[in-house]
Structure formats: C-alpha cells, structure tokens
Amino acid sequence: MTFVEFLQQLINGLSLGSVYALIALGYTMVYGIIGLINFAHCDIYMVGAYIGFFAATSLHLPFIPTLILAMAGAGIVGVLVERIAYRPLRKASNISLLITAMGVSLLLENGFNCIFGGDPRSYPHDILKQTNIELGPVHTDSLHLIILATSLVLMVLLQIIIYRTKIGKAMRATSADKDAAALMGINVNATISATFAIGSALAGAAGVLVGILYNSIDPYMGIQPGIKAFTAAVFGGIGLIPGAFLGGLILGVIETFVTAWYSPLAGAIGFIILIIILIIKPSGLLGKKVSEKV
Amino acid sequence: MMKTYVKKLVAFLAASAVVFVVFSLLLSNGVINAYYKQIIMTVCINIILALSANLIINFTGQLTLGHSAFMAIGAYAAAAIYRVGLPFFFSLIFGSLVAALFGFLIGLPTLRLKGDYLAITTMGFCQIIVVVLQNIPQFGGAQGMTGIPAETTFAWVFFTMIITIIVLYHVVNSRQGRAMISVREDEIAAEAMGINTTHYKVMAFTIGAFFAGLAGGLYAFLMMFIEPTQFNYFKSMDLVIYVVLGGSGNFAGCIASTGILTLLPEVLRFLGNYRMVVYPLLLIIIMIMRAKNIRLSRLVGMFRRTGKEGDNNAAA
Amino acid sequence: MPLLDIKNISIQFGGLSAVDKFSMSIGENDIYGLIGPNGAGKTTVFNMLTGVYSPDSGTIMFDGKSIAGMKPYDITRMRIARTFQNIRLMKNLSVLDNVKISFVSQTDYGLATSILRLPAYFHQEKDIEEKSMALLKVFNLDGKKDEKAANLPYGEQRRLEIARALATNPKLLLLDEPAAGMNPQETQELTELIRWIREKFHIAILLIEHDMRLVMGVCEKIIVLDYGKIIAEGTPKEIQSNPKVIEAYLGEEAPHA
C-alpha cells in the first residue's frame, strides 16, 4: 500500500469512524446516565435516516434542513421511547431494562418494515453534490469530507453543551450520582430526557449522513452499525464521551484498513478488538478502574 | 433423604412417561399433523436450550448474551462428524463435548468480567463464531450446511429433554449448585466463605454450553439445514427473554415460559407480518407490567412499616 | 510461635497511604481488638488479612505460612473467617442455606457424584445438614431455618453471619463491627457470646469495634489505629488512659483533610 493509498483509506476510515462516533455517543451518554445498554439506539439512527428521506423526497428540502429535521425527529422519538418504555422500569433490574430495550428495537425495526416495506429507499441524488476533490496527490470525494465536517461540528456542539451549559452540568452530575443530583435540586427526569434527546439527535444525523453516502436505507440498517458503534463506545470507555469519540474514529479506521487488506475478517475485527480490550483493560481506553468497597 | 429422592425421581419419570405416551399416540394417529409435530419438537429443543442458559443466567447470575454460539458449535460439530460416519447418538455427544470445550475456553477469560462487560463480551464471542462459521467452506460457508438427514425424532427430543431436566436439577441441588447460587447472591461473601467463584462460574458455563450443543445437534438433524445466522445474537436474546420471563431460577417457570414464548409467534401467525410487531409490543407491555407490579407490592409494604423506614425506601 | 504474625504491612490507594507499617501478632486463643476513628484503616487491615487486597509491602504469616496476596477463598481454607461491616448475608436464601454455603469448601464430592447421585452425595449432604443445624441451634436460629435471611431482625442477621463464618471451621475469626446497630442489652449478650465462642470453638478472635463497652469488656489487648498508623497498644486499662488515643477520637488538634 502506497502512502497515497494509505491517506485515502485513512480519510475513508475517519469518515466511517465519525459516523460510528456519532452513534457511539448516544450509547455512551445513556449508559453513563442510567446504566442501560440501549439496544434500541441503532434503530433511532434508522428512524433518523427515514425522516431525512421523507424530508428530502416529499418535502424536497435541501441538505441542512433535512439534517436538522431528522435530528429533531430522532430526538423526539428517543425521548418518547425513554418516557414510555424505560422510565417505568427505572427501579427494575438491569436485565429487565435490557429486555425492554430489545423489545423496543424489534418493535421499531419490524414496525418500519410493516409500514414502509423492506425495500431499500434512496435519497435523491442531488441532495449533496458529489464532486471529486484532490488534496495534493490524494483523491477523495466531497461526500466523505462533508460527513467528516458535519460530524466534527456536531461533536464540538456537544462539547459546548456538556461543558458550558446548565443542562450539560446537570447531565454530568446525574451521571456521577443520580440520587445526589436529585438532592441538589436537579430535575433528574428532565435531565435524562435531555440526554436521550441529544444522543438520539446525533444518531439521527448519522442516519442521514449514511443514507446519503451509501444511497440506501432500510428498516434493518441500524443493526450492523449499531453493534460496531456500541463496540466503539465500550472500546473507548463506556460512559465517557471522549471515549466514544475516540473509539468510533479508531474503529472506523481499523475496519477500513482491515476491509482493504483481508475482508472476511472485517465483520469480526471490531469484536476481536473489543474482547482483547475487555480482557486486558475492561474500563476501555480512557476508562478508570472502579473497585467495589468491601 | 435418599428415600424421598427416589420417590420424587420415580414420580417425575412416571409423569414424563405418561406425557410421552400420550403425545406419541397423538402423533402416530395423525391427530397432531407434521407441522405441529415440528413445533412441539422445537419446543422441546428450546426447553433444553433455555434450561442450559438458565443455569448460567439465573442460578449463577452471569448474564450471557452469546449462548446461541454453543448451539451453533454443537449443531455444526454433530453434523460434520456424522458425515464422517459416526452414528447419530455419538455425533450428538461429540457435538455437545465440542461445545462444552468451547464453553470452557471462552468462559475462562471471559467470566472474570462482571455485569454489562460480561454481557458485551459474550455477545462479541457469539458474533465472532458466526463470522468464523460463515468463512468455513467445508461447512457450506454463509450458505449453510444442507443435506443433514432427519435423524431427530420426537422420542429423541423428548428423552433428551427429560435427561437434561434431571441432570441440571441434580447439579443445582448439590454443593456445586449451592456454590453457583452463592456466586449469584454475593460474590465477595461467597469468596469469604471459601468458594472459588471463577471455578464455579466456568463450571456453570461449560455445563450450559454442553447442553446448548446437545440442543444444537438435535436442531441440525431436525431442520436438515443449518446456517450461521440462525445462531446469531438474536437467538441469544431470545434465550435471555425465555429465561428471565420464567422467573428467577425455577425450573417449572423456565419450562413454562419457554413453551409459551416458542408457541406465541405460531399463535400469532394469523396476524401475518404484523405478528413481528405484536410480539415485541407484548414483550414491552409485560416488562412494564412486571415492573409496576413489583413497585406495587413495595408500596403496599411501605404503608405497613413505620413512617421513617417508608421514607428511606422512597428515596432508594 | 503466634498463630497470626503480621509484620509491617502497608497499602496505598491512589497515592494515599491507607495503612502504614502495621504489625501485630495474635496467639491461638486470644481475643484482641482493633479500634480507631472512622477511616483509620481498620477494615483495610481486615481486607489485607482476608485476601481482598494485597499489601504493597510487609508479610503476613498465619499458622507458619505466608498468606499475603493469597485469594480470599484460599485464605478461608487456611482457616481464617470473617464477618462484614455491612452484613453480607445472602438475603434471598434461607437461614439454613446461608450456613450450608460454608460447607461447600469443606466437602469434596465431585460433579459426577452430584449428577449420578452416588452414595457419597447422600452421605455428605446428611453430614452438612446435621452440622448446619447444630450450628444454628447453638446460635438459637434453628427455629428459623427456612426463613429468608432478609426477614430476620438485625441482631439475628448479625448472629447468622457469625454462625456462617464459624461453619468454615476457622482458627481465627475476624469480626468487623459486630455490635453495630445494637442496643446495650444486645451488646452485652454479644460480649458473652464472643467469650463463649472462644471457649467452645477454641479459636482466636480479632474484632474491629466502635462500641467501647464491648471492646473493653471482651478484649485482652487493644491496638489503636489512626490515619493508617498504630498509635497505641495495650490492655484495655492502658488504652483508656492513653492521651494519644483520647486525642485521636476527640480530634481537637488533629487537622482534617
């Protein structure tokens, strides 16, 4: 592989990775705040893709309004799921919550399949002009760069929200200790809803970006990226936002290079890395070891 | 002590024999047709699977989201060795032993992880095994393995199910079972009482893998066709649902919930495609109702205690 | 040779010294006490003795063997047993089952025996049942053998935890705040119970405690910890009048982190 090829694959990897990062952020934020592995999160990504699809085809909206509408729609769906299916189980066992999440996931997937059919749909070709771009000797296309750019902008926005707003502070506090946060006067329910809203919006954005890039959406599109994004979140350190970010990018790059080198391994490479990490350092790349007080 | 045991065992075997004879008659007389016969056999296979997962999840308290991988290993190993000429019964045993070996090898490093990390890792192993199987051309790769003869009969399936119930019951009601339960209850206290928790976790995992492999073998020779994605983490999730809805640990609950949940998609078949929406919807509703009921009985209990304790519980 | 001989064990957590050069020895039938203000490192010492933590330095010799760094279940097999500060009973199991757990490591019939229900299973299970019931009787809990441990009143839960620990047949029993949450009468009963346990089971006992009536009433020697270091040791009388000890507990001069 020449250096130029390496750079091209790197850009592809980073753009794929940034999509994983956007999805991974939702997993990690929800896990951080209520300790749930939200199996339905990857389906919110799919919902975002569909909302964007309808915005682009039926309403003929250009890229940015489509993106915003999809993010808003996905956010609303995320909040509704939390409110209806997860909040009643807040005090139930971990496994019960997990099973409910699985149920929601199946419901969304099969529901969309029943309503919209299983045939893949395509975003309109002209929503984003795809031009070839040359950065020196490296050939890439505008789509990859736009995905990278959009993801970066969203992640910077997230950082601002988490560290510079009141709601962000509330989210950090609730993640650290839900009961203490409640005692300090934080509205825990609203904070959790906000967390779901933001995480879901990011996933929705990822859905639109992928829908445009790969030009095809279907009700089950969330499953594979979902597993990988979740792997990325754990890899980077579950519950840690920078971890999801880092994990997503690294995993995207590794997967791109492995696909180029030996594709049968590509489906499993994420898990192999995950397992190695979990056995060596379970708290993930950026995580800190927490031991139980005896 | 031995007398009561023998009495219970004889009663159980007698009841099983009666059930077997009744079903056999219904089947041979055509009262139950071939379609329902397959469903009943699937129920029995799922019961073997669910009980094996039950040992790990409910008795030892280790959440595994990858148990179907052992079913896959058992299925493929049994089918493969049969082709080489081993008789059916020994093929099944071989498949189960291979599955148990993998259970041991995977369990050893994995069971040191706790809670969600364990769940994720087991899910990961499951997916890896699916991908590996998809890449073995001798096993048919992603297309799967066809042409497996229909060796599985109702007798085989029922007999194996009964043996599974007896063996697992024996394991649970022994000092090994007691150790496993103590791991579920409080690992730190268990270790302080002299129990090597990792040893017993791996033991439960290996035994569970053995029976999952057995179920896999029976499945292969029933369906006559196996392919890797039949055993992916969706199947594992199904098992977790059977096991959790069956209640904590108890055999009868697990058997009942597995039976009901296996039959449910069939019962809902009249809904056409919508049954795949109704099934998860029912699941969510059941989980919410369960949670609300738990809270309901806590609320009732709270009113009976003194005000102070009630307030403490409310904040919890 | 003393039963337990600890020499200069230390441990740090994240740069903070939790226990600093702790030394102590106990003989076969002694009852010693370990006291000190909250956070002094007493439970940490217990945790090092029972394998929950591994000391960064120093040695622990028990019955002639070095046990520092051994796993908790191996240490229990060496015959050191413990109770916990926040009772760690198996709440969903019955009283009897809680005690039977301790016999898992003391019986040896294998998995094959269990599955095939060979005679050894029945013999050993009968033995376990008898020994467990005998122990429960001694602690007056036999009437509640099938009761869920969570339903026992607090004082009985503490007794059950001690019974469970004794079921592992220890030579040394570590009690972590056994009198916590008890009223004066219960504490008095506990004081007699501890003395009686020492006599009946011929063991050494080391206890952590804040309740001075219990400590002064039952311990032959007391070691006082403060900020991870030993600041005094001696008989109850000597400790009671030791100015350093008084200062540590009242903490007027001592700076707080």
Side-chain angles (χ1 to χ4, degrees), chain B:
Chain B
M1 188 185 239
M2 193 162 177
K3 276 200 201 136
T4 34
Y5 165 71
V6 173
K7 265 196 232 165
K8 272 201 223 167
L9 182 64
V10 169
F12 176 70
L13 287 173
S16 312
V18 169
V19 171
F20 177 69
V21 166
V22 166
F23 270 98
S24 297
L25 282 173
L26 291 173
L27 284 166
S28 63
N29 282 343
V31 175
I32 300 180
N33 64 27
Y35 178 69
Y36 286 108
K37 179 180 180 184
Q38 175 135 329
I39 295 178
I40 291 174
M41 298 218 282
T42 306
V43 167
C44 292
I45 291 177
N46 277 349
I47 288 176
I48 298 172
L49 263 176
L51 286 175
S52 71
N54 193 32
L55 181 70
I56 302 171
I57 299 176
N58 274 333
F59 278 104
T60 316
Q62 306 303 298
L63 179 57
T64 164
L65 287 180
H67 200 60
S68 58
F70 301 122
M71 184 189 184
I73 294 173
Y76 273 91
I81 202 89
Y82 181 88
R83 283 203 175 157
V84 180
L86 208 58
F88 177 56
F89 173 70
F90 292 105
S91 301
L92 285 181
I93 300 291
F94 177 78
S96 312
L97 287 172
V98 175
L101 178 66
F102 273 84
F104 178 75
L105 292 173
I106 293 177
L108 216 43
T110 308
L111 287 163
R112 281 189 216 140
L113 303 168
K114 310 244 155 106
D116 294 325
Y117 293 121
L118 174 64
I120 303 158
T121 308
T122 48
M123 190 168 78
F125 269 115
C126 183
Q127 283 306 106
I128 290 177
I129 286 174
V130 168
V131 168
V132 165
L133 286 170
Q134 282 172 327
N135 282 299
I136 300 181
Q138 290 84 349
F139 288 164
Q143 279 22 346
M145 197 188 273
T146 55
I148 306 173
E151 292 272 11
T152 303
T153 63
F154 175 66
W156 271 113
V157 152
F158 191 84
F159 177 69
T160 311
M161 182 181 75
I162 296 298
I163 298 279
T164 305
I165 295 175
I166 294 177
V167 168
L168 288 177
Y169 186 82
H170 282 180
V171 168
V172 163
N173 290 293
S174 68
R175 65 181 264 273
Q176 289 83 5
R178 218 170 272 140
M180 293 173 193
I181 293 171
S182 75
V183 167
R184 174 194 76 199
E185 288 290 307
D186 188 331
E187 271 193 64
I188 291 176
E191 295 221 322
M193 295 305 120
I195 291 173
N196 181 343
T197 53
T198 304
H199 174 85
Y200 289 101
K201 284 186 206 174
V202 173
M203 185 188 282
F205 211 67
T206 308
I207 296 174
F210 178 87
F211 285 102
L214 193 53
L218 287 169
Y219 177 82
F221 288 87
L222 172 66
M223 296 296 171
M224 301 178 286
F225 161 71
I226 50 177
E227 60 91 10
T229 58
Q230 287 169 335
F231 307 102
N232 66 14
Y233 80 102
F234 279 119
K235 184 75 187 164
S236 287
M237 269 159 52
D238 270 349
L239 286 178
V240 170
I241 294 173
Y242 297 167
V243 154
V244 169
L245 260 84
S248 193
N250 104 64
F251 277 62
C254 186
I255 294 173
S257 74
T258 305
I260 294 174
L261 289 173
T262 308
L263 293 171
L264 197 56
E266 298 304 317
V267 164
L268 295 177
R269 219 171 251 283
F270 69 94
L271 290 170
N273 255 353
Y274 285 95
R275 71 180 172 125
M276 289 321 289
V277 174
V278 170
Y279 176 76
L281 197 60
L282 279 176
L283 187 62
I284 297 171
I285 293 174
I286 293 175
M287 296 311 292
I288 296 179
M289 272 171 53
R290 263 174 119 226
K292 289 242 160 92
N293 273 339
I294 292 173
R295 278 208 272 136
L296 206 57
S297 59
R298 262 201 211 159
L299 272 169
V300 171
M302 259 164 61
F303 283 120
R304 289 212 204 109
R305 293 194 207 113
T306 62
K308 270 192 205 153
E309 274 196 79
D311 285 352
N312 284 340
N313 283 336

Side-chain angles (χ1 to χ4, degrees), chain A residues 98-113:
Chain A
L98 219 59
I99 292 181
T100 309
M102 291 179 200
V104 173
S105 172
L106 286 171
L107 186 62
L108 286 172
E109 286 164 11
N110 294 327
F112 269 68
N113 190 32

Side-chain angles (χ1 to χ4, degrees), chain A residues 7-32:
Chain A
L7 280 182
Q8 272 165 195
Q9 294 291 31
L10 189 64
I11 294 178
N12 292 346
L14 285 174
S15 103
L16 178 67
S18 64
V19 167
Y20 286 158
L22 285 176
I23 306 174
L25 283 165
Y27 279 118
T28 224
M29 285 165 66
V30 165
Y31 186 85

Side-chain angles (χ1 to χ4, degrees), chain A residues 119-202:
Chain A
D119 293 326
R121 313 283 188 108
S122 300
Y123 273 68
H125 285 271
D126 53 1
I127 186 157
L128 269 186
K129 253 202 225 123
Q130 179 169 347
T131 48
N132 285 324
I133 296 188
E134 287 170 37
L135 304 167
V138 178
H139 287 256
T140 180
D141 66 72
S142 53
L143 233 43
H144 280 116
L145 292 177
I146 290 178
I147 289 177
L148 250 173
T150 314
S151 309
L152 278 167
V153 166
L154 288 172
M155 290 192 259
V156 166
L157 272 173
L158 180 69
Q159 285 293 97
I160 295 175
I161 294 177
I162 300 279
Y163 288 101
R164 304 258 169 140
T165 65
K166 223 167 148 192
I167 188 74
K169 209 186 236 178
M171 283 163 65
R172 280 181 285 141
T174 314
S175 284
D177 189 331
K178 220 190 298 162
D179 297 322
L183 291 171
M184 292 299 119
I186 290 176
N187 183 340
V188 167
N189 280 340
T191 309
I192 293 177
S193 292
T195 309
F196 269 83
I198 296 174
S200 303
L202 292 172

Side-chain angles (χ1 to χ4, degrees), chain A:
Chain A
M1 186 182 279
T2 68
F3 185 62
V4 170
E5 284 169 11
F6 175 81
L7 280 182
Q8 272 165 195
Q9 294 291 31
L10 189 64
I11 294 178
N12 292 346
L14 285 174
S15 103
L16 178 67
S18 64
V19 167
Y20 286 158
L22 285 176
I23 306 174
L25 283 165
Y27 279 118
T28 224
M29 285 165 66
V30 165
Y31 186 85
I33 207 164
I34 56 172
L36 166 69
I37 302 174
N38 185 5
F39 275 103
H41 184 63
C42 59
D43 301 296
I44 308 261
Y45 152 87
M46 177 270 292
V47 169
Y50 269 84
I51 295 178
F53 168 75
F54 285 112
T57 51
S58 306
L59 302 176
H60 300 291
L61 295 177
F63 175 61
I64 295 192
T66 300
L67 187 66
I68 295 178
L69 198 62
M71 286 175 69
I76 292 172
V77 172
V79 169
L80 282 174
V81 164
E82 192 275 321
R83 190 71 190 73
I84 299 175
Y86 300 161
R87 194 178 294 183
L89 276 102
R90 190 120 0 120
K91 298 214 184 0
S93 68
N94 232 353
I95 296 189
S96 298
L97 205 45
L98 219 59
I99 292 181
T100 309
M102 291 179 200
V104 173
S105 172
L106 286 171
L107 186 62
L108 286 172
E109 286 164 11
N110 294 327
F112 269 68
N113 190 32
C114 277
I115 302 176
F116 299 113
D119 293 326
R121 313 283 188 108
S122 300
Y123 273 68
H125 285 271
D126 53 1
I127 186 157
L128 269 186
K129 253 202 225 123
Q130 179 169 347
T131 48
N132 285 324
I133 296 188
E134 287 170 37
L135 304 167
V138 178
H139 287 256
T140 180
D141 66 72
S142 53
L143 233 43
H144 280 116
L145 292 177
I146 290 178
I147 289 177
L148 250 173
T150 314
S151 309
L152 278 167
V153 166
L154 288 172
M155 290 192 259
V156 166
L157 272 173
L158 180 69
Q159 285 293 97
I160 295 175
I161 294 177
I162 300 279
Y163 288 101
R164 304 258 169 140
T165 65
K166 223 167 148 192
I167 188 74
K169 209 186 236 178
M171 283 163 65
R172 280 181 285 141
T174 314
S175 284
D177 189 331
K178 220 190 298 162
D179 297 322
L183 291 171
M184 292 299 119
I186 290 176
N187 183 340
V188 167
N189 280 340
T191 309
I192 293 177
S193 292
T195 309
F196 269 83
I198 296 174
S200 303
L202 292 172
V208 171
L209 292 173
V210 166
I212 294 177
L213 178 66
Y214 291 110
N215 220 356
S216 156
I217 63 172
D218 70 87
Y220 299 95
M221 67 187 278
I223 300 175
Q224 286 287 45
I227 300 179
K228 291 176 187 162
F230 177 64
T231 303
V234 175
F235 175 57
I238 192 82
L240 300 172
I241 289 178
F245 195 85
L246 195 64
L249 290 176
I250 294 179
L251 201 70
V253 169
I254 293 180
E255 190 184 305
T256 307
F257 278 102
V258 168
T259 311
W261 164 58
Y262 181 60
S263 63
L265 202 53
I269 186 68
F271 281 111
I272 295 175
I273 296 172
L274 175 70
I275 287 171
I276 295 174
I277 277 267
L278 281 181
I279 292 182
I280 302 178
K281 189 174 191 244
S283 38
L285 283 180
L286 300 180
K288 291 190 192 71
K289 197 165 180 222
V290 178
S291 33
E292 190 183 346
K293 185 169 193 266
V294 178

